[in-house]
Each structure stands twice: as structure tokens, then as C-alpha cells.
Amino acid sequence: MADGKRKTFKRKSEPEDGARDSTDELRNYLSSDFASLRDEIHREITSRDILLRKLEESVTRLSEDIAPVKDYVAAEMEEEDDDASSQSSDSPEGGAPQDGDQETEEERNNRAQNRCVDVMMSLTEIRMNNEEKTQKVRGFYEKIYKASPFTSLMLKFLERNGGVKVLIDCDSSNISNLGGRLVNLDGEKCNGTAFLTFADIFECRVYLGGVSGLFRLYKRGQYVNETFDPEVSLAQSLAQMVMYLTFKNRGCPYACGDEMYEKLYEKIVLETSQKKESVIMDGCVYHAFSMKSSLAREVSLISVVPGMLVKYGSNEGMSKLLEQVPLLTFFFIHHVIPKMRS
């Protein structure tokens, strides 16, 4: 079935002039553009002024050429589906079928999902737990897993690495019952009532208030009410934990000392900040920029990608991401995802 999807994608993407337009070509097109940007940064890495000028020129060109990303993303997501199906069908875990049995793609995917969600549930502590709360929290993980191949990869990463503890209060929209005073990324000590969710990356703990509701958000000169979805916030906090475990750099999506990707990401953050003043963006973006310090904004902004995929689903979420934050999405796909895989 996955092969059928790939064939459908290629037929749909085939240009009228008969030129070859495959996933590999899209990948090569984008990889070469991104590689060119990296090479330019590397050559000028000793001069900050020249570096920033090169970044400006390169990111501008990349922004103009961003349209093919939609096709690239579709191909990447199909490839993730195929990889997940292949791995789950080859694995002896979870009751793999014996010779002669025929397991459908859907059954293989469900088995892989159940195994991953089971592991995440084993890492989760629910305050005053009961069967209803267990099913509710399980639903959070299932929604994150199903949202996109990128978000399921995030859970698989945590499944493989372990060490993360998730604490959830299903009776509150904040985390006041789960811990005392916490220090946020801006360095401020706050009570639990100030947090809907919180990722304590140094303790490898994620806190979540599991009740949906509304919160006030400052957006384009005025305060508006935004819906708080626990599964979206959980996905964003888990993403921050994955960034920390992957790059070991306080939750930033690049390794310590990797000046090339650091400067590139700073440029993307700056462009996104400027763009949000002229283009209406999702509340996840505005919430990231409500942080005071550059560190907090950087850590929060990268988690917007999985957050919006869970919030809107795979197709609509990716469409909104490519429309509102294309360079951030490109950075996540081309830099973060490969690091998570490796």
C-alpha cells in the first residue's frame, strides 16, 4: 500500500513536458541549496559582518525558492510511513505474524503505534490516576503519534532513548499540583499556576496540565483568547526534551559550538519575528515570541513545528507551516529530523 502511495505521488508530480520529477530530484534540489548556504557560511565563519551579510543573501534566495518544499515534504512523509511499516513488519516484537499469515499495512502501523504508546505510558505518572485518566492520557500520545510521521518519529526517539519522566494532572489546566516553584527559560522563578506545561530539560521531566481551556495571548498589539489543547502543549514540551537529548545544548536545535547552524537558526528566528508583525500566524508562534530571552525564544520556536502538526493534523498543519514559517519548517526537516534519525 505504501508503494501505491509513492506511485500516486510521482504521477501527480510529473510535469507536462515529461521531464523527470522524482523525490530524489526534489531532495537533491533542496539539499544542494541548503548545502550551498552551509558552504557560504563556513567560508566566511571568521568574519561576523560578512557572515551575516551572506546569511541575509542566502536565506533570501532560499525563501524565494521555498515552493518545492511542499513536494519534498510529501515525499519525506511517505518515506517515513514506509520506514515505519518496514520496521514494524520486520520486528519480532508485538506478536509479529508467523509464516503464511498476512498482516495489512494498517495492522503493522497499529502494532508499531501501540508499542510506542505503551512505552510512553510506562514513562508517565498521572496524578490521582484511574482508568478514565489513563485512557485520556493514552489518547494524547495516540494523537501525537498519528498527527505526522515527524511527530511519531519524535515519540519513537523517546521510546528508544528513555530516561524521560512525564507528569500529568488531568484535573487541572496548570501544573501547580505537580511541583513547586520552577525556573523558566527566561530565568524567572514562577509558581506552577503560571505554566500550562513545562519541560525541565535538565531533570528530564515534562509537566502537563491535562485540562483544555483558554489563555490570554498578546498578538499583534492586543490580547486575545487562545485555546489550550493539552496534547499540543505536550507535543511541544516533548519536542523541547528531544532537542536537548539530540543536541545537548540547553534545548536549542543545534549542537554546542556549531556556529554555522547557530547563525542560520538565529537568522530564521529573526525573520520569523519580523514576519509575524505583518502576517497573522498561529498562536504557537506568538507564544514562542512572548518569551523575553533569546534562548527561550529559540527553544520555544522550534517546537512550533510538531505543535502545529498535532494541532491541525498532517496535511493542514504542514500547509500552515509552509505558509507561515517556511524556513523554520525547512530547518526542522533538513537539520533536526536527520539528527533525530541518527
Side-chain angles (χ1 to χ4, degrees), residues 73-232:
V73 169
E76 280 287 292
M77 294 177 74
E78 286 186 3
E79 182 179 316
E80 282 289 343
D81 281 333
D82 293 344
D83 290 344
S85 297
S86 175
Q87 291 172 7
S88 60
S89 62
D90 293 339
S91 172
E93 299 177 10
Q98 301 297 320
D99 290 342
D101 291 343
Q102 290 187 347
E103 186 180 34
T104 66
E105 179 188 3
E106 182 179 2
E107 289 171 337
R108 290 194 298 270
N109 290 339
N110 287 340
R111 183 157 51 83
Q113 173 188 302
N114 290 335
R115 184 173 61 247
C116 184
V117 171
D118 285 344
V119 173
M120 293 308 301
M121 289 298 293
S122 72
L123 302 175
T124 302
E125 180 180 311
I126 304 171
R127 181 176 178 270
M128 300 177 65
N129 195 16
N130 56 38
E131 182 60 28
E132 181 182 357
K133 293 177 182 177
T134 296
Q135 293 305 314
K136 181 177 183 178
V137 172
R138 189 176 184 87
F140 292 164
Y141 289 123
E142 289 175 348
K143 184 170 182 178
I144 294 172
Y145 190 98
K146 293 176 181 178
S148 162
F150 299 147
T151 54
S152 64
L153 178 63
M154 188 174 70
L155 291 188
K156 291 173 189 174
F157 177 93
L158 294 171
E159 174 192 2
R160 293 192 304 267
N161 288 272
V164 174
K165 187 73 174 178
V166 182
L167 298 94
I168 299 179
D169 184 357
C170 290
D171 300 313
S172 176
S173 60
N174 62 60
I175 64 171
S176 58
N177 296 319
L178 300 175
R181 292 174 66 83
L182 297 167
V183 179
N184 66 15
L185 289 167
D186 285 326
E188 301 171 337
K189 290 184 178 180
C190 305
N191 292 321
T193 54
F195 299 103
L196 307 174
T197 185
F198 185 81
D200 189 339
I201 57 177
F202 300 111
E203 295 293 332
C204 279
R205 290 194 167 206
V206 169
Y207 302 86
L208 176 73
V211 177
S212 59
L214 297 174
F215 69 98
R216 300 279 285 172
L217 182 66
Y218 191 74
K219 182 187 291 188
R220 301 187 72 187
Q222 60 180 340
Y223 282 96
V224 296
N225 288 326
E226 283 281 329
T227 302
F228 161 63
D229 297 314
E231 60 270 29
V232 174

Side-chain angles (χ1 to χ4, degrees), residues 25-41 43 54-55 57-69 260-261 264 327 330 334:
E25 289 183 17
L26 289 168
R27 191 196 309 275
N28 291 336
Y29 170 82
L30 293 169
S31 296
S32 62
D33 202 0
F34 206 55
S36 175
L37 174 58
R38 290 199 306 266
D39 291 343
E40 288 187 28
I41 297 171
R43 287 195 297 269
K54 290 291 185 181
L55 273 169
E57 295 171 355
S58 299
V59 173
T60 299
R61 288 199 307 272
L62 190 58
S63 180
E64 293 171 350
D65 295 337
I66 204 69
V69 172
M260 180 171 58
Y261 276 106
L264 174 59
L327 295 178
F330 188 58
H334 239 296

Side-chain angles (χ1 to χ4, degrees), residues 228-273:
F228 161 63
D229 297 314
E231 60 270 29
V232 174
S233 293
L234 177 59
Q236 291 191 264
S237 287
L238 291 175
Q240 292 178 22
M241 195 64 65
V242 168
M243 295 305 109
Y244 174 70
L245 294 173
T246 301
F247 297 101
K248 308 295 184 183
N249 187 19
R250 302 175 297 172
C252 293
Y254 49 84
C256 234
D258 190 344
E259 189 172 354
M260 180 171 58
Y261 276 106
E262 178 182 357
K263 297 303 180 187
L264 174 59
Y265 188 62
E266 286 178 355
K267 178 63 181 174
I268 291 172
V269 173
L270 177 61
E271 284 210 348
T272 305
S273 176

